[in-house]
């Protein structure tokens, strides 16, 4: 039987960028030592108080269908959080609760693209972006950035990429680069969106993991609230990856259409998960800081391990649970380096090539094992880089 082009071409090259990760899992299954620094998954689990709230809600009966756009009180609490953080007036009607940020990314593109229309996104990018755009019927078009510009998008590239495009997807704080877009960058993005009449889809799922500078939401820039759709999630902020809860934020008219989409796709998010999210958000920034604190500590450990290394350099990590390491001085590609590091040291990292073309010659390190194991892994990684590639330095 014939399948749709849409489903069979979701990953056009048959390569999903997860080859090193799969090899790492095979190593683990074979009982070999492994330090897994690949996935964006906390090493702590969801806090007991959040689980208690989930349990209570389920036992009190919230196991039936929940309101499709989300519980009123949760939508209101998300709106309050957004307004407090950005200063942009936000109502519950601007918020749709979704099963994670991933679902919100899909919904946002469904809302703004007609079949075959082009959606822009910035390279390097979170691995699901092009497939998500294709799943929504769109044509993904990457706008490359450069390592020497710290992977910030360039105005000319944004202005000229794919004439006729309908939307631009950005991600700040950024996965995989660990960068935060500053105000001038966001202003450039806003100007381009206005000039080209683009929807801006702003993925802000790492908004609580900022180490230097501030997270700025482009929705807060003048005249941008009407053309910006924000992706939010409790996965990273509250270590709730498995609970699948996030939101889409945007103009009321967009949200009400996306509610229709949710009715015909996800049918909402379980009520007990939403109640747990309501309770977690009620604890305010203190809990968010507690959950992000390990990454801040490990970033400092990494800086110490990398100081003075010449074959591996870290992009200054402003934010997120990741480090982007430039390993070009070893002469290896990101894939070659990651495979050799796995083989030699049992340390699994993601090749930069898994995130597009712009981060070739880099690897992304997730800071997601305990401090001692992380510090040790970074020391071994640096040592390995010093011994590797570049001809005569190899031992
Ligand atoms: N956006 C980015 C940039 C991500 O890194 C992730 C998850 N790693 C997501 C969106 C989706 O997260 P979730 O669906 O768990 O909210």
């Amino acid at each position: 039987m014939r399948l749709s082009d849409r489903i069979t071409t979701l990953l056009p090259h048959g390569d999903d960028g997860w080859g090193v990760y799969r090899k790492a899992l095979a190593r683990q299954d074979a009982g070999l030592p492994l330090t897994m620094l690949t996935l964006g998954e906390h090493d702590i689990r969801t806090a007991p108080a959040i689980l208690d709230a989930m349990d209570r809600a389920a036992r009190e009966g919230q196991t039936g269908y929940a309101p499709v756009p989300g519980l009123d009180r949760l939508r209101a609490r998300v709106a309050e959080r957004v307004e407090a953080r950005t200063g942009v007036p936000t109502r519950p009607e601007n918020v749709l609760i979704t099963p994670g940020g991933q679902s919100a990314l899909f919904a946002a593109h469904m809302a703004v693209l007609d079949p075959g229309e082009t959606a822009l996104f910035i390279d390097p990018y979170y691995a699901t972006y092009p497939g998500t755009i294709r799943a929504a019927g769109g044509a993904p078009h990457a706008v490359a950035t450069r390592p020497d510009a710290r992977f910030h998008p360039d105005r000319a590239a944004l202005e000229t990429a794919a004439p006729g495009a309908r939307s631009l997807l950005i991600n700040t704080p950024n996965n995989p680069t660990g960068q935060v877009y500053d105000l001038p960058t966001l202003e450039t993005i806003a100007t381009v969106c206005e000039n080209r009449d683009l929807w801006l889809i702003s993925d802000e799922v790492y908004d609580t993991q900022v180490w230097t500078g501030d997270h700025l939401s482009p929705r807060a820039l003048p005249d941008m609230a009407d053309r910006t759709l924000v992706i939010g999630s409790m996965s990273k902020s509250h270590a709730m990856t498995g609970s699948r809860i996030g939101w889409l934020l945007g103009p009321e008219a967009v949200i009400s259409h996306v509610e229709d989409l949710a009715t015909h796709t996800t049918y909402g998010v379980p009520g007990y998960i939403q109640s747990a999210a309501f309770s977690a958000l009620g604890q305010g920034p203190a809990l968010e800081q507690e959950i992000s604190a390990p990454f801040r500590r490990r970033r400092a450990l990494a800086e110490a391990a990398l100081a003075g290394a010449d074959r591996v350099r870290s992009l200054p990590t402003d934010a997120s649970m990741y480090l982007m390491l430039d390993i070009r001085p070893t002469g290896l590609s990101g894939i070659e380096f990651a495979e050799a590091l796995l083989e030699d040291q049992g340390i699994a990292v993601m090749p930069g090539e898994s995130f597009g073309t712009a981060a070739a010659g880099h690897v992304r390190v997730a800071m997601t094992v305990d401090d001692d194991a992380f510090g040790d892994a970074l020391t071994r990684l640096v040592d390995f880089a010093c011994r590797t590639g570049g001809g005569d330095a190899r031992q």
Side-chain angles (χ1 to χ4, degrees):
M1 291 291 287
R2 191 186 155 275
L3 288 171
S4 71
D5 288 346
R6 178 176 299 193
I7 202 86
T8 53
T9 60
L10 208 68
L11 295 176
H13 310 301
D15 173 17
D16 59 3
W18 291 96
V20 175
Y21 174 68
R22 277 192 289 269
K23 282 189 185 160
L25 289 182
R27 248 186 98 92
Q28 200 167 38
D29 287 348
L32 295 168
L34 177 71
T35 308
M36 193 62 132
L37 306 178
T38 48
L39 292 191
E41 177 100 84
H42 310 66
D43 48 316
I44 52 163
R45 301 289 81 194
T46 304
I50 302 178
L51 297 180
D52 287 345
M54 209 179 280
D55 181 67
R56 237 180 358 260
R59 288 179 193 284
E60 281 167 13
Q62 289 185 47
T63 52
Y65 292 123
V68 171
L71 298 175
D72 288 343
R73 64 178 192 282
L74 179 59
R75 296 173 85 191
R77 190 157 273 180
V78 170
E80 276 163 30
R81 178 185 187 268
V82 168
E83 189 166 316
R85 291 174 73 92
T86 64
V88 185
T90 306
R91 294 157 36 88
E93 292 77 8
N94 296 117
V95 178
L96 182 98
I97 303 301
T98 60
Q102 182 57 47
S103 171
L105 279 164
F106 174 69
H109 285 96
M110 283 293 281
V112 303
L113 297 176
D114 276 319
E117 285 184 331
T118 300
L120 304 174
F121 62 103
I122 310 292
D123 180 352
Y125 52 84
Y126 172 50
T128 69
Y129 282 179
T132 303
I133 291 166
R134 284 189 207 99
H141 184 99
V143 182
T145 57
R146 293 192 327 274
D148 55 8
R150 296 176 69 173
F151 297 110
H152 283 226
D154 167 72
R155 179 171 185 149
L158 289 174
E159 273 168 346
T160 53
R166 295 293 312 277
S167 59
L168 168 64
L169 168 59
I170 64 167
N171 173 218
T172 177
N174 190 272
N175 172 16
T177 66
Q179 301 298 299
V180 177
Y181 291 173
D182 54 14
L183 184 60
T185 300
L186 289 172
E187 283 172 343
T188 299
I189 289 168
T191 305
V192 171
C193 287
E194 279 171 2
N195 292 347
R196 297 190 57 178
D197 197 21
L198 296 171
W199 285 97
L200 181 61
I201 301 176
S202 178
D203 180 343
E204 303 180 16
V205 306
Y206 291 95
D207 66 347
T208 62
Q209 298 178 1
V210 179
W211 322 129
T212 53
D214 291 313
H215 165 63
L216 301 170
S217 174
R219 180 168 174 265
L221 295 183
D223 302 324
M224 285 305 285
D226 284 345
R227 64 168 70 246
T228 304
L229 304 178
V230 176
I231 311 300
S233 173
M234 313 256 322
S235 286
K236 313 295 173 178
S237 60
H238 292 81
M240 290 181 74
T241 49
S243 292
R244 310 309 304 132
I245 182 150
W247 55 82
L248 181 68
L249 175 74
E252 283 186 38
V254 178
I255 295 302
S256 96
H257 283 297
V258 176
E259 180 181 340
D260 295 338
L261 176 71
T263 302
H264 296 89
T265 51
T266 61
Y267 214 82
V269 174
Y272 54 93
I273 301 283
Q274 296 197 58
S275 285
F278 175 77
S279 155
L281 287 175
Q283 300 199 35
L287 178 60
E288 298 173 2
Q289 277 160 23
E290 194 182 312
I291 291 167
S292 67
F295 306 120
R296 184 189 287 273
R297 282 198 312 269
R298 292 170 199 161
R299 169 181 173 268
L301 291 174
E303 274 178 2
L306 288 157
D310 53 0
R311 291 260 172 112
V312 53
R313 291 181 298 244
S314 179
L315 210 64
T317 305
D318 296 334
S320 85
M321 51 171 74
Y322 312 107
L323 304 172
M324 188 60 124
L325 302 182
D326 181 355
I327 49 86
R328 286 173 295 176
T330 64
L332 301 184
S333 71
I335 296 174
E336 288 164 345
F337 184 91
E339 294 202 332
L341 182 68
L342 181 62
E343 192 62 30
D344 195 78
Q345 292 292 317
I347 298 172
V349 298
M350 292 295 284
E353 291 84 355
S354 297
F355 309 101
T357 57
H362 291 68
V363 293
R364 187 195 75 173
V365 177
M367 300 187 275
T368 48
V369 293
D370 70 65
D371 294 18
D372 287 345
F374 183 72
D376 174 60
L378 259 283
T379 306
R380 288 191 288 131
L381 183 153
V382 170
D383 183 51
F384 171 78
C386 292
R387 288 187 284 113
T388 301
D392 58 356
R394 189 193 282 272
Q395 292 169 5

